[in-house]
Amino acid sequence: AQVYKAEQMSFRTTDDQLKRSDNPDQQPSTVMRKSTRPSILRMSTRSRLGGSQKAVDRQNEKMARLKLEKKLEKQLEEDTEEALSSMTRRGYIESKLTMYELQFAWYDVIEYVRKGVLALLAAINMHGNLHMQLSLGMLVVTIVLVYMIRLSPYKRDGDDILSVVCQFVQL
């Protein structure tokens, strides 16, 4: 809008100067000089306004990015609250406990630790020592497999067999 107003003002100035120079005795160079001067003025005004337009665009982009970050942060906070409230509900806890025998209710924590350690071993760069990574991963899976066979933490025997087979496949 500012660029448009500046161009309108410079066109009016050019038209006014050309109307004043209707005198036939006046030299054409004077008319040209008067008519080109506002165009130079118009170009410098446009470049100044264009520069500020870039700054405005950057500012608008920054504001949009901040709004998006706030929206995502709010969504994350809501999702976290929902997840935490679902974990403290009796139904969630009971659903986790129904698959294990009562004395092995804590076994779910062992599963989470196993998954975390295996993911960590996959993510860590051991300076090109792939054999060390594989050996540690196999050690973790073997330890969990042995404990799973010894403890049989699930209520149903079919679940125990299935978990042992899956651990063996992972090995």
Side-chain angles (χ1 to χ4, degrees):
Q2 292 175 347
V3 173
Y4 180 70
K5 287 179 182 177
E7 287 179 359
Q8 278 184 336
M9 289 175 53
S10 63
F11 284 132
R12 281 189 207 138
T13 307
T14 306
D15 291 339
D16 291 343
Q17 288 175 349
L18 288 174
K19 287 176 185 174
R20 281 188 224 138
S21 65
D22 286 339
N23 186 357
D25 298 328
Q26 200 173 18
Q27 296 176 359
S29 62
T30 313
V31 174
M32 285 300 288
R33 199 171 346 131
K34 286 183 180 179
S35 65
T36 56
R37 187 171 182 194
S39 66
I40 293 171
L41 194 78
R42 183 174 58 239
M43 287 175 54
S44 63
T45 304
R46 184 182 297 152
S47 65
R48 275 187 269 137
L49 291 176
S52 66
Q53 184 65 32
K54 288 179 184 177
V56 169
D57 288 345
R58 276 188 253 128
Q59 186 68 20
N60 288 341
E61 184 179 312
K62 185 177 180 181
M63 293 297 289
R65 198 175 322 124
L66 287 174
K67 285 180 182 179
L68 180 63
E69 286 176 2
K70 286 181 182 179
K71 183 179 176 183
L72 290 175
E73 189 174 292
K74 184 179 177 184
Q75 184 66 33
L76 177 66
E77 186 177 303
E78 290 173 359
D79 290 346
T80 304
E81 287 177 15
E82 183 181 330
L84 289 175
S85 68
S86 71
M87 286 182 184
T88 57
R89 282 186 277 172
R90 183 180 175 112
Y92 175 79
I93 295 171
E94 286 176 357
S95 70
K96 287 296 183 183
L97 293 178
T98 56
M99 63 182 146
Y100 297 112
E101 293 178 13
L102 190 56
Q103 61 190 6
F104 299 114
W106 50 268
Y107 193 76
D108 209 25
V109 175
I110 299 295
E111 282 295 310
Y112 289 133
V113 169
R114 175 188 65 86
K115 291 175 185 178
V117 169
L118 289 176
L120 186 66
L121 284 174
I124 290 177
N125 183 8
M126 295 191 172
H127 305 291
N129 197 350
L130 185 62
H131 298 294
M132 179 66 114
Q133 251 179 325
L134 290 174
S135 300
L136 288 175
M138 287 177 64
L139 179 67
V140 169
V141 171
T142 304
I143 290 172
V144 172
L145 178 64
V146 168
Y147 276 111
M148 193 175 292
I149 291 171
R150 278 186 72 204
L151 297 176
S152 296
Y154 295 100
K155 282 186 179 179
R156 294 185 296 186
D157 291 334
D159 289 341
D160 284 327
I161 293 169
L162 181 64
S163 65
V164 168
V165 168
C166 288
Q167 284 293 321
F168 187 73
V169 168
Q170 242 184 355
L171 185 61

